[in-house]
Amino acid sequence: MKRIAVLTSGGDAPGMNAAIRAVVRTAIGQGWEVLGVRRGYAGLAYGEMVPLGARDVGGILQLGGTILGSARCPEFRTELGRQRALRALRSQGAEALVVIGGNGSQTGAYELSRLGFPVVGVASTIDNDLVGSEITIGVDTALNVALESIDRLKTTASSHGRAFLVEVMGRNCGYLALMVGIAGGAEAVVIPEVDTDPEMLAQELHDAYERGKSHSLVVVAEGATYNAARLAEYFHENEKRLGFELRVTILGHVQRGGAPGAFDRLLATRLGAAAVEILAREEHGVLVGWHRGEVVTTPLADVVGKENPLDPRLLELARVLAQ
Ligand code: F6P
């Protein structure tokens, strides 16, 4: 192999730059050239590629976001878009592609590999919803960002005896909310995987005050049926009866921004380097992920369209510790 391309796609995640750097420098170590694709699959379809040398990826390890840019690209879901991307790759002499991204991005990677092009995926999304990796690039940093906000909110919540709803990202997956809830000491966690009755939740918060708590904190996943907006509406309508005030904070994209922590830099570096080593062994059509302290690969066919189930023991832990 002489030349490979690398792209970042979907929602960015802290650590993507570290992964790009690892891909580029490991490939150069193999004696290959690397093309960086701008704007994910959107740029790929239009042949937006630039050569990346070792110096081009210097000083990016500690930067959030992605120097290549990212995009959501509906056109890539069509056969026409994928054929266009293949033509662009081949016309620029790329013999393989590394796709750094989450669920949607790895679906795109699978489609390209089904068309016969060698692709390796690198598990990267703050949502942690990818089958094939127990933790993905960006999750640890996103958790820490959310926790910092929660720690701050708790002090002001206590001063006023208020309840706070904090909505975190995660698309349809409750992982971020559950882990933030446990690590942040939340009174309750609302996630898509578990049905929530707002009246029961209100009762739980009321009981927490009765047990002598000075505040209540509920971590809500954006994908829950009762997300922060719906819960807030319900609580405000019933404020007098419930007897406590409620405030809402939506963390949103704040969780995706900023510098990656040590864990994400190391994870991204190991997964990015492994992606190139896999191509060097002439393997492809797989996702590179992390399991029990090791790099693992999973066929892309077994990754797409699947969901990572939440560990029920963690749900129970969150409930018990909220006493
Ligand atoms: O997949 C990552 C993610 O941040 C999700 O948690 C969230 O639902 C979505 O992306 C937001 O997408 P966008 O940045 O396109 O608004």
Side-chain angles (χ1 to χ4, degrees):
M1 195 164 298
K2 290 195 177 64
R3 185 179 288 167
I4 64 169
V6 57
L7 63 79
T8 50
S9 160
D12 63 350
M16 277 184 161
N17 281 326
I20 295 168
R21 173 179 174 272
V23 168
V24 170
R25 292 193 176 168
T26 310
I28 290 171
Q30 295 280 347
W32 303 346
E33 292 171 355
V34 183
L35 296 171
V37 182
R38 294 205 189 280
R39 300 191 303 117
Y41 289 116
L44 184 60
Y46 292 94
E48 293 175 24
M49 297 180 218
V50 286
L52 290 179
R55 295 284 70 74
D56 298 315
V57 292
I60 66 168
L61 185 62
Q62 71 280 20
L63 301 181
T66 156
I67 57 159
L68 290 174
S70 192
R72 305 208 185 270
C73 178
E75 189 193 342
F76 200 75
R77 297 202 187 107
T78 66
E79 185 63 22
L80 199 68
R82 293 194 285 265
Q83 290 296 347
R84 185 177 277 177
L86 279 182
R87 277 199 300 277
L89 282 163
R90 287 182 177 134
S91 74
Q92 303 214 24
E95 292 165 77
L97 174 68
V98 176
V99 172
I100 303 168
N103 244 321
S105 312
Q106 302 309 338
T107 304
Y110 175 59
E111 293 299 338
L112 278 185
S113 85
R114 272 190 351 144
L115 292 170
F117 197 81
V119 186
V120 170
V122 172
S124 176
T125 165
I126 66 162
D127 299 340
N128 209 26
D129 59 351
L130 263 181
V131 165
S133 199
E134 68 186 21
I135 189 149
T136 51
I137 298 168
V139 171
D140 184 68
T141 305
L143 286 175
N144 280 298
V145 169
L147 278 177
E148 197 200 327
S149 306
I150 281 176
D151 292 347
R152 286 169 191 270
L153 287 171
K154 280 174 93 166
T155 58
T156 172
S158 282
S159 308
H160 291 264
R162 282 174 176 154
F164 266 81
L165 293 181
V166 183
E167 188 179 278
V168 298
M169 278 188 164
R171 202 178 289 277
N172 301 320
C173 176
Y175 179 90
L176 276 184
L178 180 57
M179 300 310 263
V180 164
I182 293 171
E187 273 58 51
V189 174
V190 177
I191 54 177
E193 291 85 349
V194 178
D195 288 338
T196 297
D197 174 353
E199 189 58 37
M200 274 174 67
L201 177 65
Q203 188 60 49
E204 275 175 46
L205 301 192
H206 182 80
D207 293 350
Y209 285 113
E210 297 278 297
R211 292 198 303 275
K213 293 208 175 193
S214 54
H215 64 251
S216 274
L217 181 87
V218 184
V219 180
V220 186
E222 64 173 355
T225 311
Y226 276 98
N227 59 11
R230 286 194 69 195
L231 282 175
E233 196 183 320
Y234 182 88
F235 280 30
H236 286 310
E237 277 168 8
N238 295 285
E239 189 175 311
K240 283 213 173 69
R241 180 168 60 84
L242 298 173
F244 55 83
E245 265 189 281
L246 182 99
R247 293 287 188 275
V248 178
T249 300
I250 296 178
L251 293 182
H253 291 81
V254 167
Q255 291 156 103
R256 270 188 10 207
F263 182 87
D264 279 322
R265 292 185 204 191
L266 291 168
L267 180 66
T269 299
R270 293 198 59 184
L271 299 191
V276 173
E277 286 156 11
I278 285 159
L279 286 172
R281 295 200 300 267
E282 303 203 352
E283 292 170 28
H284 48 81
V286 293
L287 175 79
V288 184
W290 190 252
H291 189 63
R292 297 189 178 167
E294 295 288 342
V295 173
V296 290
T297 58
T298 309
L300 285 167
D302 296 340
V303 170
V304 300
K306 308 247 170 67
E307 281 170 14
N308 248 348
L310 281 187
D311 183 344
R313 290 170 301 182
L314 292 174
L315 282 167
E316 179 58 11
L317 186 63
R319 196 190 61 74
V320 170
L321 296 183
Q323 288 176 70

